[in-house]
Amino acid sequence: QQVALALEEDLGAGDITAALIPAEHGAQAEVITREIATICGQAWVDEVFRQVDARIRVEWCVNDGEQALADQTVLRIKGKARALLSAERCALNFLQTLSATATASQHYARQVAHTHVKVLDTRKTIPGWRLAQKYAVRCGGCDNHRMGLYDAYLIKENHILACGSIAQAVAEARAKQPGKRVEVEVESMDELNQAITCGADIVMLDNFSLDAMREAVRLAKHASHELKLEVSGNVDESTLVAIAETGVDYISMGALTKNIRAIDLSMRFVDKRHD
């Protein structure tokens, strides 16, 4: 569906420039990356070429989750020249964006590899690309938070105010959806203690100092139930490692999906005519 929408947006009534090329002309092309990148997006790229012309043959040189070096060939394509050119931009758009997410994810995952923390994505994704970007996050070595508003509770300040208290919000969540994970965002040690007492599965520490995070880790270890701690807010490259080393379980970063820069890719013909 994503590919069909992208092609409809780009092709419209037809690629008038590609139509300048005789229909019988074939070509071979390579897609190269101009920079180091963690590749992601094979399924989307394959689907672009399939929908444009199912006869196109695609050979991948680098698989999803693998790192490509600058000027390395990522894939080779063979088919009718018109079809290759008509598919080019949509295919590269998917590949450059999903590889950007995977590359950013790998960068952050490597920084905290010496700890047990899991770096999580958020819902700050490109509209319509939620599944794709969350897949790319995993290709890069990070992990997924909840998929959407439907698969886990995340009780924040406004929810607490509307429900009346942390205890009431958690109790309502347990009553309405007993099988769903319940996470509570807290902004103070007092709220942390309330969340622990209420039996939250995960507590999100919002804008806690490093010392407060360490104290929260100590309290979590003495909780009467298994409790995970997540850190959110003011997490960037300069703070990530220090936060991970406090002993928290998760760090969520919107930067994995929203602060990305597309990977520089290029498709070039290597043989403009073939049978």
Side-chain angles (χ1 to χ4, degrees):
Q1 291 174 343
Q2 284 180 314
V3 167
L5 286 171
L7 288 172
E8 181 182 2
E9 177 181 66
D10 203 32
L11 294 178
D15 183 349
I16 61 175
T17 311
L20 300 174
I21 302 166
E24 69 275 12
H25 283 193
Q28 296 184 45
E30 294 180 344
V31 173
I32 63 170
T33 175
R34 301 294 187 182
E35 58 188 312
I36 296 174
T38 302
I39 297 303
C40 180
Q42 280 184 289
W44 286 264
V45 172
D46 288 346
E47 184 64 14
V48 169
F49 287 114
R50 189 194 69 79
Q51 288 193 26
V52 170
D53 185 345
R55 297 168 296 178
I56 293 173
R57 285 181 281 172
V58 182
E59 176 192 354
W60 286 90
C61 305
V62 183
N63 292 316
D64 280 358
E66 295 178 347
Q67 190 175 75
L69 302 178
D71 298 320
Q72 183 173 346
T73 298
V74 177
L75 68 150
R76 296 186 176 92
I77 321 131
K78 184 176 182 179
K80 296 301 181 184
R82 282 186 181 182
L84 297 189
L85 290 168
S86 294
E88 175 184 2
R89 178 39 52 199
C90 281
L92 294 186
N93 283 350
F94 282 109
L95 189 60
Q96 71 186 18
T97 305
L98 295 179
S99 294
T101 296
T103 301
S105 298
Q106 185 174 78
H107 173 70
Y108 290 119
R110 284 177 171 175
Q111 288 191 51
V112 297
H114 64 290
T115 73
H116 78 269
V117 79
K118 291 185 177 181
V119 179
L120 307 178
D121 54 27
T122 70
R123 288 167 40 243
K124 297 173 183 176
T125 53
I126 299 169
W129 283 55
R130 178 69 54 83
L131 284 170
Q133 280 199 288
K134 282 183 173 281
Y135 169 70
V137 164
R138 295 185 70 86
C139 283
C142 291
D143 288 86
N144 301 142
H145 205 283
R146 58 179 179 163
M147 192 61 62
L149 295 172
Y150 56 88
D151 58 329
Y153 285 102
L154 179 46
I155 300 169
K156 297 190 174 188
E157 179 184 13
N158 287 333
H159 301 102
I160 295 166
L161 288 171
C163 288
S165 68
I166 290 175
Q168 286 178 279
V170 172
E172 278 292 306
R174 296 295 190 200
K176 291 182 181 296
Q177 299 279 352
K180 301 292 187 184
R181 184 180 70 235
V182 177
E183 181 170 0
V184 178
E185 182 183 69
V186 301
E187 298 178 352
S188 68
M189 297 304 294
D190 177 60
E191 289 184 348
L192 170 61
N193 282 309
Q194 290 180 53
I196 293 174
T197 301
C198 294
D201 300 308
I202 304 174
V203 176
M204 178 186 286
L205 310 176
D206 184 37
N207 293 312
F208 272 44
S209 68
L210 292 176
D211 286 339
M213 291 177 200
R214 295 186 189 99
E215 176 61 13
V217 170
R218 187 189 69 80
L219 291 173
K221 289 179 179 177
H222 293 90
S224 60
H225 65 287
E226 184 180 5
L227 176 69
K228 300 292 187 181
L229 294 178
E230 177 183 340
V231 169
S232 177
N234 294 325
V235 181
D236 58 26
E237 190 143 10
S238 67
T239 60
L240 177 64
V241 174
I243 292 171
E245 291 176 348
T246 65
V248 296
D249 302 287
Y250 307 118
I251 300 173
S252 53
M253 297 184 68
L256 300 184
T257 53
K258 75 182 182 74
N259 293 355
I260 56 172
R261 179 186 58 77
I263 300 301
D264 186 6
L265 301 169
S266 177
M267 188 181 93
R268 61 189 181 190
F269 278 13
V270 293
D271 179 9
K272 295 182 181 179
R273 290 168 178 254
H274 71 267
D275 295 329

